[in-house]
Coordinates of all heavy atoms in Angstrom, one line a residue:
M88 N 92.8 91.3 107.7 CA 94.0 91.9 108.2 C 93.8 92.4 109.7 O 92.8 93.1 110.0 CB 94.5 93.0 107.3 CG 95.8 93.5 107.6 SD 96.6 94.5 106.3 CE 95.4 95.8 106.0
K89 N 94.8 92.1 110.5 CA 94.7 92.6 111.9 C 94.9 94.1 111.9 O 95.7 94.6 111.2 CB 95.8 91.9 112.8 CG 95.4 90.5 113.2 CD 96.1 90.1 114.5 CE 97.6 89.8 114.2 NZ 98.3 89.4 115.4
K90 N 94.2 94.7 112.9 CA 94.2 96.2 112.9 C 95.3 96.7 113.8 O 95.6 97.9 113.9 CB 92.9 96.7 113.4 CG 91.8 96.5 112.4 CD 91.5 97.8 111.7 CE 90.7 97.7 110.4 NZ 89.3 97.7 110.5
Q91 N 96.0 95.8 114.5 CA 97.0 96.2 115.5 C 98.2 95.3 115.4 O 98.1 94.1 115.2 CB 96.5 96.3 116.9 CG 95.5 97.4 117.1 CD 95.0 97.4 118.6 OE1 95.0 96.4 119.3 NE2 94.6 98.6 119.0
K92 N 99.4 95.9 115.7 CA 100.6 95.0 115.9 C 101.6 95.8 116.7 O 101.6 97.0 116.7 CB 101.1 94.6 114.5 CG 101.9 95.6 113.7 CD 102.4 94.9 112.5 CE 103.8 95.3 112.2 NZ 104.4 94.5 111.1
P93 N 102.5 95.1 117.4 CA 103.5 95.8 118.2 C 104.6 96.4 117.4 O 105.0 95.9 116.4 CB 104.0 94.6 119.1 CG 103.8 93.4 118.4 CD 102.6 93.6 117.5
C94 N 105.0 97.6 117.9 CA 106.1 98.3 117.3 C 107.4 97.5 117.4 O 107.7 97.2 118.6 CB 106.2 99.7 117.9 SG 107.6 100.6 117.2
P95 N 108.2 97.3 116.3 CA 109.4 96.6 116.5 C 110.5 97.4 117.2 O 111.5 96.8 117.7 CB 109.9 96.4 115.0 CG 109.1 97.4 114.2 CD 107.9 97.7 115.0
E96 N 110.3 98.7 117.3 CA 111.3 99.6 118.0 C 111.0 99.8 119.5 O 111.9 99.5 120.3 CB 111.3 101.0 117.3 CG 111.6 101.0 115.8 CD 113.1 100.5 115.5 OE1 113.9 100.8 116.3 OE2 113.3 99.9 114.5
C97 N 109.8 100.2 119.8 CA 109.6 100.5 121.2 C 108.5 99.6 121.8 O 108.1 99.8 123.0 CB 109.2 102.0 121.3 SG 107.6 102.4 120.6
H98 N 107.9 98.7 121.0 CA 106.9 97.7 121.5 C 105.6 98.4 121.9 O 104.8 97.7 122.6 CB 107.5 96.9 122.6 CG 108.8 96.2 122.2 ND1 108.8 95.2 121.3 CD2 110.1 96.4 122.6 CE1 110.1 94.8 121.1 NE2 110.9 95.6 121.9
S99 N 105.3 99.6 121.5 CA 104.0 100.2 121.7 C 103.1 99.5 120.7 O 103.5 98.9 119.8 CB 104.0 101.7 121.4 OG 104.9 102.3 122.4
T100 N 101.8 99.7 120.9 CA 100.8 99.1 119.9 C 100.7 100.0 118.7 O 100.4 101.2 118.9 CB 99.5 98.9 120.6 OG1 99.6 98.1 121.7 CG2 98.5 98.3 119.6
M101 N 101.0 99.5 117.6 CA 100.9 100.3 116.3 C 99.5 100.3 115.9 O 98.7 99.4 116.1 CB 101.8 99.7 115.3 CG 103.3 99.7 115.6 SD 104.3 98.9 114.3 CE 104.8 100.3 113.4
E102 N 99.1 101.4 115.2 CA 97.7 101.5 114.7 C 97.7 101.6 113.2 O 98.6 102.2 112.6 CB 97.1 102.8 115.3 CG 96.9 102.7 116.8 CD 96.6 104.1 117.4 OE1 96.6 105.1 116.6 OE2 96.4 104.1 118.6
L103 N 96.7 101.0 112.6 CA 96.5 101.0 111.2 C 96.0 102.3 110.8 O 94.9 102.7 111.1 CB 95.6 99.9 110.7 CG 95.6 99.6 109.2 CD1 96.9 99.2 108.7 CD2 94.6 98.4 108.9
K104 N 96.8 103.1 110.0 CA 96.4 104.4 109.6 C 96.8 104.7 108.2 O 97.4 103.9 107.5 CB 97.1 105.5 110.5 CG 96.5 105.6 111.9 CD 97.1 106.7 112.6 CE 96.3 107.0 113.9 NZ 96.9 108.1 114.7
K105 N 96.4 105.8 107.6 CA 96.8 106.2 106.3 C 97.9 107.1 106.4 O 98.0 108.0 107.2 CB 95.6 107.0 105.6 CG 94.3 106.2 105.5 CD 94.4 105.1 104.5 CE 93.0 104.4 104.3 NZ 93.1 103.2 103.5
T106 N 98.9 106.9 105.5 CA 100.1 107.8 105.5 C 100.5 108.1 104.0 O 100.0 107.4 103.1 CB 101.2 107.1 106.3 OG1 102.3 108.1 106.4 CG2 101.7 105.9 105.6
T107 N 101.4 109.0 103.9 CA 102.0 109.4 102.6 C 103.4 108.9 102.5 O 104.2 109.2 103.5 CB 101.9 110.9 102.3 OG1 100.5 111.3 102.3 CG2 102.5 111.2 100.9
I108 N 103.8 108.2 101.5 CA 105.2 107.8 101.4 C 105.8 108.5 100.2 O 105.3 108.6 99.1 CB 105.2 106.2 101.1 CG1 104.5 105.5 102.3 CG2 106.7 105.8 101.0 CD1 104.4 104.0 102.1
H109 N 107.0 109.0 100.5 CA 107.7 109.8 99.5 C 108.9 109.0 98.9 O 109.6 108.4 99.6 CB 108.2 111.1 100.2 CG 108.9 112.0 99.3 ND1 108.3 112.9 98.4 CD2 110.3 112.3 99.0 CE1 109.1 113.6 97.7 NE2 110.3 113.2 98.1
F110 N 108.9 109.0 97.6 CA 110.0 108.4 96.9 C 110.8 109.4 96.1 O 110.2 110.3 95.5 CB 109.5 107.3 95.9 CG 108.8 106.1 96.6 CD1 107.5 106.2 96.9 CD2 109.6 105.0 96.9 CE1 106.9 105.1 97.5 CE2 108.9 103.9 97.5 CZ 107.6 104.0 97.8
E111 N 112.1 109.2 96.0 CA 112.9 110.1 95.2 C 114.0 109.3 94.5 O 114.6 108.5 95.1 CB 113.6 111.2 96.1 CG 113.8 112.5 95.4 CD 114.1 113.6 96.3 OE1 113.6 113.6 97.5 OE2 114.9 114.5 95.9
R112 N 114.1 109.5 93.2 CA 115.0 108.7 92.4 C 115.5 109.5 91.2 O 114.7 110.0 90.4 CB 114.3 107.5 91.9 CG 115.1 106.5 91.1 CD 116.0 105.6 91.9 NE 115.3 105.0 93.0 CZ 114.7 103.8 92.8 NH1 114.7 103.2 91.7 NH2 114.1 103.3 93.8
E113 N 116.8 109.8 91.1 CA 117.4 110.4 89.9 C 116.6 111.7 89.5 O 116.4 111.9 88.3 CB 117.4 109.4 88.7 CG 118.4 108.3 89.0 CD 118.4 107.3 87.9 OE1 118.7 107.7 86.7 OE2 118.1 106.1 88.1
G114 N 116.3 112.5 90.4 CA 115.7 113.8 90.1 C 114.2 113.8 90.0 O 113.6 114.8 89.8
F115 N 113.6 112.6 90.1 CA 112.1 112.5 90.1 C 111.6 112.2 91.5 O 112.4 111.6 92.3 CB 111.7 111.4 89.1 CG 111.9 111.7 87.7 CD1 112.9 111.1 87.0 CD2 111.2 112.7 87.0 CE1 113.2 111.3 85.7 CE2 111.4 112.9 85.7 CZ 112.4 112.3 85.0
Y116 N 110.4 112.6 91.7 CA 109.9 112.3 93.0 C 108.5 111.7 92.8 O 107.8 112.0 91.8 CB 109.8 113.4 94.0 CG 109.0 114.6 93.6 CD1 107.6 114.6 93.8 CD2 109.5 115.7 92.9 CE1 106.8 115.6 93.4 CE2 108.7 116.7 92.5 CZ 107.4 116.7 92.8 OH 106.6 117.8 92.4
A117 N 108.0 110.9 93.8 CA 106.7 110.4 93.7 C 106.2 110.3 95.2 O 106.9 109.9 96.1 CB 106.6 109.0 93.1
D118 N 105.0 110.8 95.4 CA 104.3 110.7 96.7 C 103.2 109.7 96.5 O 102.3 109.9 95.7 CB 103.8 112.1 97.2 CG 104.9 113.0 97.7 OD1 105.7 112.4 98.4 OD2 104.9 114.1 97.3
V119 N 103.2 108.7 97.3 CA 102.1 107.7 97.3 C 101.2 108.1 98.5 O 101.7 108.0 99.6 CB 102.6 106.3 97.3 CG1 101.4 105.3 97.3 CG2 103.5 106.0 96.2
E120 N 100.0 108.5 98.2 CA 99.1 109.0 99.3 C 98.1 107.9 99.8 O 97.8 107.0 99.1 CB 98.3 110.1 98.7 CG 99.1 111.3 98.3 CD 98.3 112.4 97.7 OE1 97.2 112.2 97.3 OE2 98.9 113.5 97.6
N121 N 97.7 108.1 101.0 CA 96.7 107.3 101.7 C 97.0 105.8 101.7 O 96.2 105.0 101.4 CB 95.3 107.5 101.0 CG 94.8 108.9 101.3 OD1 94.8 109.3 102.4 ND2 94.3 109.5 100.3
V122 N 98.3 105.6 102.0 CA 98.8 104.2 102.1 C 98.4 103.6 103.5 O 98.6 104.3 104.5 CB 100.3 104.1 101.9 CG1 100.8 102.7 102.1 CG2 100.7 104.6 100.6
S123 N 97.8 102.5 103.5 CA 97.4 101.8 104.8 C 98.7 101.3 105.4 O 99.4 100.4 104.8 CB 96.4 100.7 104.5 OG 95.2 101.2 104.0
A124 N 99.0 101.8 106.5 CA 100.3 101.4 107.2 C 100.1 101.3 108.7 O 99.2 102.0 109.2 CB 101.4 102.3 106.9
F125 N 100.8 100.5 109.4 CA 100.9 100.5 110.8 C 101.8 101.6 111.2 O 103.0 101.6 110.8 CB 101.3 99.1 111.4 CG 100.3 98.0 111.2 CD1 100.5 97.1 110.1 CD2 99.2 97.9 112.0 CE1 99.6 96.1 110.0 CE2 98.3 96.9 111.8 CZ 98.4 96.0 110.8
I126 N 101.3 102.5 112.1 CA 102.1 103.6 112.6 C 102.2 103.6 114.1 O 101.2 103.4 114.7 CB 101.6 104.9 112.0 CG1 101.6 104.9 110.5 CG2 102.4 106.1 112.6 CD1 100.9 106.1 109.9
C127 N 103.4 103.7 114.6 CA 103.6 103.7 116.0 C 103.3 105.1 116.6 O 103.9 106.1 116.1 CB 105.0 103.3 116.4 SG 105.3 103.4 118.2
P128 N 102.3 105.3 117.5 CA 102.0 106.6 118.0 C 103.1 107.2 118.9 O 103.1 108.4 119.1 CB 100.7 106.4 118.8 CG 100.8 104.9 119.2 CD 101.6 104.2 118.1
K129 N 104.0 106.3 119.3 CA 105.1 106.8 120.2 C 106.3 107.3 119.5 O 106.8 108.4 119.7 CB 105.5 105.7 121.2 CG 105.5 106.2 122.7 CD 105.8 105.0 123.6 CE 105.3 105.3 125.0 NZ 105.5 104.1 125.9
C130 N 106.9 106.4 118.6 CA 108.1 106.7 118.0 C 108.0 107.0 116.5 O 109.0 107.4 115.8 CB 109.2 105.6 118.2 SG 108.8 104.1 117.3
G131 N 106.8 106.8 115.9 CA 106.6 107.1 114.5 C 107.0 106.1 113.5 O 107.0 106.3 112.3
T132 N 107.5 105.0 114.0 CA 107.9 103.9 113.1 C 106.7 103.5 112.2 O 105.6 103.3 112.7 CB 108.4 102.7 113.9 OG1 109.6 103.1 114.5 CG2 108.7 101.5 112.9
R133 N 106.9 103.3 110.9 CA 105.9 102.9 110.0 C 106.2 101.5 109.5 O 107.3 101.1 109.2 CB 105.8 103.8 108.8 CG 105.4 105.2 109.2 CD 105.1 106.0 107.9 NE 106.2 106.2 107.0 CZ 106.3 107.0 106.0 NH1 105.2 107.7 105.7 NH2 107.3 107.0 105.2
S134 N 105.1 100.7 109.3 CA 105.3 99.3 108.8 C 104.1 99.1 107.8 O 103.0 99.2 108.1 CB 105.2 98.4 110.0 OG 105.1 97.0 109.4
I135 N 104.5 98.8 106.6 CA 103.5 98.6 105.5 C 103.4 97.1 105.3 O 104.4 96.4 105.1 CB 104.0 99.3 104.2 CG1 104.0 100.8 104.5 CG2 103.0 99.0 103.1 CD1 104.9 101.5 103.5
P136 N 102.1 96.6 105.3 CA 101.9 95.1 105.1 C 102.6 94.7 103.8 O 102.5 95.3 102.8 CB 100.4 95.0 105.0 CG 99.9 96.2 105.8 CD 100.9 97.3 105.6
G137 N 103.3 93.5 103.9 CA 104.1 92.9 102.8 C 103.6 93.1 101.4 O 104.3 93.7 100.6
N138 N 102.4 92.6 101.1 CA 101.9 92.6 99.7 C 101.8 94.0 99.2 O 102.1 94.3 98.1 CB 100.6 91.9 99.6 CG 100.7 90.4 99.7 OD1 101.9 89.9 99.5 ND2 99.6 89.7 99.9
L139 N 101.3 94.9 100.1 CA 101.0 96.3 99.8 C 102.4 97.0 99.5 O 102.5 97.7 98.5 CB 100.3 97.0 100.9 CG 99.9 98.4 100.7 CD1 99.0 98.6 99.4 CD2 99.2 99.0 101.9
A140 N 103.4 96.7 100.3 CA 104.7 97.3 100.1 C 105.3 96.9 98.7 O 105.8 97.7 98.0 CB 105.7 96.9 101.2
V141 N 105.1 95.7 98.4 CA 105.6 95.2 97.1 C 104.8 95.9 95.9 O 105.4 96.3 94.9 CB 105.5 93.6 97.0 CG1 105.7 93.2 95.5 CG2 106.4 93.0 97.9
N142 N 103.5 95.9 96.1 CA 102.7 96.6 95.0 C 103.1 98.0 94.8 O 103.2 98.5 93.7 CB 101.2 96.5 95.4 CG 100.6 95.2 95.3 OD1 101.2 94.3 94.6 ND2 99.5 94.9 95.9
I143 N 103.3 98.8 95.9 CA 103.6 100.2 95.8 C 105.0 100.3 95.2 O 105.2 101.1 94.3 CB 103.7 100.8 97.3 CG1 102.2 100.9 97.8 CG2 104.3 102.2 97.2 CD1 102.2 101.3 99.2
S144 N 105.9 99.5 95.6 CA 107.3 99.5 95.1 C 107.3 99.3 93.6 O 107.9 100.0 92.8 CB 108.1 98.5 95.8 OG 109.4 98.4 95.2
N145 N 106.5 98.3 93.1 CA 106.5 98.0 91.7 C 105.9 99.1 90.9 O 106.3 99.5 89.8 CB 105.6 96.7 91.4 CG 106.3 95.5 91.9 OD1 107.5 95.4 92.1 ND2 105.6 94.4 92.1
T146 N 104.8 99.7 91.5 CA 104.1 100.8 90.8 C 105.1 102.0 90.6 O 105.2 102.6 89.6 CB 102.9 101.3 91.6 OG1 102.0 100.2 91.8 CG2 102.2 102.4 90.9
V147 N 105.8 102.3 91.7 CA 106.7 103.5 91.7 C 107.9 103.2 90.8 O 108.3 104.1 90.1 CB 107.1 103.9 93.2 CG1 108.2 104.9 93.2 CG2 105.9 104.3 94.0
E148 N 108.4 102.0 90.8 CA 109.5 101.7 90.0 C 109.2 101.9 88.5 O 109.9 102.4 87.7 CB 110.0 100.2 90.2 CG 110.8 100.0 91.5 CD 112.0 100.9 91.6 OE1 112.6 101.2 90.6 OE2 112.3 101.4 92.7
A149 N 108.0 101.4 88.1 CA 107.5 101.5 86.7 C 107.3 103.0 86.4 O 107.7 103.4 85.3 CB 106.2 100.8 86.6
L150 N 106.9 103.8 87.3 CA 106.7 105.2 87.1 C 108.0 105.9 86.9 O 108.2 106.7 85.9 CB 106.0 105.8 88.3 CG 105.4 107.2 88.3 CD1 104.4 107.3 87.2 CD2 104.8 107.6 89.6
F151 N 109.0 105.6 87.7 CA 110.3 106.2 87.6 C 110.9 105.8 86.2 O 111.5 106.6 85.5 CB 111.2 105.7 88.7 CG 111.1 106.5 90.0 CD1 110.8 105.9 91.2 CD2 111.2 107.9 90.0 CE1 110.7 106.6 92.4 CE2 111.0 108.6 91.2 CZ 110.8 107.9 92.4
K152 N 110.7 104.6 85.8 CA 111.3 104.1 84.6 C 110.7 104.8 83.4 O 111.4 105.3 82.5 CB 111.0 102.6 84.4 CG 111.8 101.9 83.4 CD 111.6 100.4 83.5 CE 112.2 99.6 82.3 NZ 111.3 99.7 81.1
S153 N 109.4 105.0 83.4 CA 108.7 105.7 82.3 C 109.1 107.2 82.3 O 109.4 107.7 81.2 CB 107.2 105.7 82.5 OG 106.7 104.4 82.7
A154 N 109.2 107.8 83.5 CA 109.6 109.2 83.5 C 111.0 109.4 83.0 O 111.3 110.4 82.3 CB 109.5 109.7 85.0
K155 N 111.9 108.4 83.3 CA 113.3 108.5 82.8 C 113.3 108.4 81.3 O 114.1 109.1 80.7 CB 114.1 107.4 83.5 CG 115.6 107.7 83.6 CD 116.3 106.5 84.3 CE 117.7 106.5 84.0 NZ 118.4 105.3 84.5
E156 N 112.5 107.5 80.7 CA 112.5 107.4 79.3 C 112.0 108.6 78.6 O 112.5 109.1 77.6 CB 111.6 106.2 78.9 CG 112.3 104.9 79.0 CD 111.4 103.6 79.1 OE1 110.2 103.8 78.8 OE2 111.9 102.6 79.4
V157 N 111.0 109.3 79.2 CA 110.5 110.6 78.7 C 111.6 111.6 78.7 O 111.8 112.3 77.7 CB 109.3 111.1 79.5 CG1 108.9 112.5 79.0 CG2 108.1 110.2 79.2
R158 N 112.3 111.6 79.8 CA 113.4 112.6 79.9 C 114.5 112.4 78.9 O 115.0 113.4 78.3 CB 113.9 112.6 81.4 CG 114.9 113.8 81.6 CD 115.3 113.9 83.0 NE 116.0 112.7 83.5 CZ 116.5 112.6 84.8 NH1 116.3 113.6 85.6 NH2 117.0 111.5 85.2
T159 N 114.9 111.2 78.8 CA 116.1 110.9 77.9 C 115.7 111.1 76.4 O 116.5 111.3 75.6 CB 116.7 109.5 78.1 OG1 115.6 108.6 78.1 CG2 117.4 109.5 79.5
S160 N 114.4 111.0 76.1 CA 114.0 111.1 74.7 C 113.6 112.5 74.4 O 113.3 112.8 73.2 CB 112.8 110.2 74.4 OG 111.7 110.6 75.2
T161 N 113.6 113.4 75.4 CA 113.2 114.8 75.1 C 114.4 115.6 74.6 O 115.5 115.3 75.0 CB 112.7 115.4 76.4 OG1 111.6 114.6 76.9 CG2 112.1 116.8 76.2
E162 N 114.1 116.6 73.7 CA 115.2 117.5 73.3 C 115.9 118.1 74.4 O 115.3 118.5 75.4 CB 114.5 118.6 72.5 CG 113.8 118.2 71.2 CD 114.8 117.9 70.1 OE1 115.9 118.4 70.1 OE2 114.4 117.1 69.2
K163 N 117.2 118.2 74.3 CA 118.0 118.8 75.4 C 117.6 120.2 75.8 O 117.7 120.5 77.0 CB 119.5 118.8 75.0 CG 120.2 117.5 75.5 CD 121.7 117.6 75.3 CE 122.4 116.3 75.7 NZ 123.7 116.2 75.1
D164 N 117.2 121.0 74.8 CA 116.7 122.3 75.1 C 115.6 122.4 76.1 O 115.3 123.4 76.8 CB 116.3 123.1 73.8 CG 117.5 123.3 72.9 OD1 118.7 123.0 73.3 OD2 117.3 123.7 71.7
L165 N 114.8 121.3 76.0 CA 113.6 121.3 76.9 C 113.8 120.7 78.2 O 112.9 120.7 79.1 CB 112.4 120.5 76.1 CG 111.9 121.2 74.8 CD1 111.0 120.2 74.2 CD2 111.3 122.5 75.1
A166 N 115.0 120.1 78.4 CA 115.2 119.3 79.7 C 115.4 120.3 80.8 O 115.9 121.4 80.7 CB 116.5 118.5 79.5
P167 N 114.9 120.0 82.0 CA 114.1 118.8 82.3 C 112.6 119.0 81.8 O 112.0 120.1 82.0 CB 114.1 118.6 83.8 CG 114.3 120.0 84.3 CD 115.1 120.8 83.2
A168 N 112.1 118.0 81.1 CA 110.7 118.1 80.6 C 109.7 118.3 81.8 O 108.7 119.0 81.7 CB 110.4 116.9 79.8
F169 N 110.0 117.6 82.9 CA 109.2 117.7 84.1 C 110.0 117.2 85.2 O 111.0 116.4 85.0 CB 107.8 117.0 84.0 CG 107.9 115.6 83.6 CD1 108.2 114.6 84.5 CD2 107.7 115.2 82.3 CE1 108.2 113.3 84.2 CE2 107.8 113.9 81.9 CZ 108.0 112.9 82.8
S170 N 109.7 117.5 86.4 CA 110.5 117.1 87.6 C 109.7 116.1 88.5 O 110.3 115.5 89.4 CB 110.9 118.3 88.4 OG 109.8 119.0 88.8
G171 N 108.4 116.0 88.3 CA 107.7 115.1 89.2 C 106.3 114.8 88.7 O 105.8 115.4 87.8
I172 N 105.8 113.7 89.2 CA 104.4 113.3 88.8 C 103.6 113.1 90.0 O 104.0 112.5 91.0 CB 104.5 112.0 88.0 CG1 105.3 112.1 86.7 CG2 103.1 111.4 87.7 CD1 105.6 110.8 86.0
S173 N 102.4 113.7 90.0 CA 101.5 113.5 91.1 C 100.3 112.7 90.6 O 99.7 113.1 89.6 CB 101.0 114.9 91.6 OG 100.4 114.7 92.8
F174 N 100.1 111.6 91.2 CA 99.0 110.7 90.7 C 97.9 110.6 91.8 O 98.2 110.3 93.0 CB 99.7 109.4 90.4 CG 98.7 108.3 90.0 CD1 98.2 108.2 88.7 CD2 98.2 107.4 90.9 CE1 97.4 107.2 88.3 CE2 97.3 106.4 90.6 CZ 96.9 106.3 89.3
H175 N 96.7 110.8 91.4 CA 95.6 110.7 92.4 C 94.5 109.9 91.9 O 94.1 109.9 90.7 CB 95.1 112.1 92.7 CG 96.1 113.1 93.2 ND1 96.3 113.3 94.6 CD2 97.0 113.9 92.6 CE1 97.2 114.1 94.7 NE2 97.7 114.5 93.6
I176 N 93.8 109.2 92.8 CA 92.6 108.6 92.5 C 91.5 109.6 92.8 O 91.5 110.2 93.9 CB 92.3 107.3 93.4 CG1 93.4 106.3 93.1 CG2 90.9 106.8 93.2 CD1 93.4 105.1 94.0
A177 N 90.7 109.9 91.8 CA 89.7 111.0 91.9 C 88.8 110.8 93.1 O 88.5 111.8 93.9 CB 88.9 111.1 90.7
R178 N 88.3 109.6 93.3 CA 87.4 109.4 94.4 C 87.9 108.2 95.2 O 87.8 107.1 94.7 CB 85.9 109.1 94.0 CG 85.1 110.4 94.0 CD 83.7 110.1 93.6 NE 83.5 110.3 92.1 CZ 82.4 109.9 91.5 NH1 81.4 109.3 92.2 NH2 82.3 110.1 90.2
A179 N 88.4 108.5 96.4 CA 89.0 107.4 97.2 C 87.9 106.6 97.8 O 86.8 107.1 98.1 CB 89.9 107.9 98.2
Ligands
ZN248 ZN1 107.4 102.6 118.4

């Protein structure tokens, strides 16, 4: 994978860095940490390589789906059972 690419917004050279991506859906949130992404040092535009973007999207969609099922199957008195999930790899 190339380590540099031009920014689509301002044409500065983007750098491959780690970033956190925040997702929010129907009252749940997910933060995906240490995502490898091209980041523009000038305007802050982020670009995630295609395959990785798809993988992250699939993972988060599955997570939201499971979380929703837990919530709808939980007794009303206990709702919301939880509001977010934080998932970490112990040793990166
Ligand atoms: Zn830029």
Side-chain angles (χ1 to χ4, degrees):
M88 189 160 59
K89 280 202 291 181
K90 289 258 162 91
Q91 289 184 334
K92 76 177 224 174
C94 175
E96 301 294 328
C97 70
H98 307 293
S99 297
T100 302
M101 300 177 94
E102 292 166 0
L103 192 59
K104 286 187 169 176
K105 302 285 186 189
T106 189
T107 297
I108 302 174
H109 184 78
F110 293 87
E111 210 166 328
R112 179 80 52 87
E113 296 179 54
F115 291 106
Y116 64 83
D118 283 315
V119 182
E120 299 175 341
N121 291 316
V122 177
S123 296
F125 289 102
I126 299 173
C127 176
K129 230 180 204 176
C130 72
T132 294
R133 294 191 300 190
S134 169
I135 298 159
N138 286 345
L139 183 59
V141 170
N142 288 344
I143 290 169
S144 174
N145 289 344
T146 302
V147 171
E148 286 303 326
L150 190 62
F151 278 126
K152 193 169 172 284
S153 308
K155 204 177 160 189
E156 278 163 13
V157 169
R158 186 170 61 177
T159 50
S160 67
T161 305
E162 297 282 338
K163 267 188 183 161
D164 293 350
L165 295 173
F169 54 81
S170 60
I172 296 171
S173 191
F174 176 83
H175 299 266
I176 295 169
R178 265 184 270 171

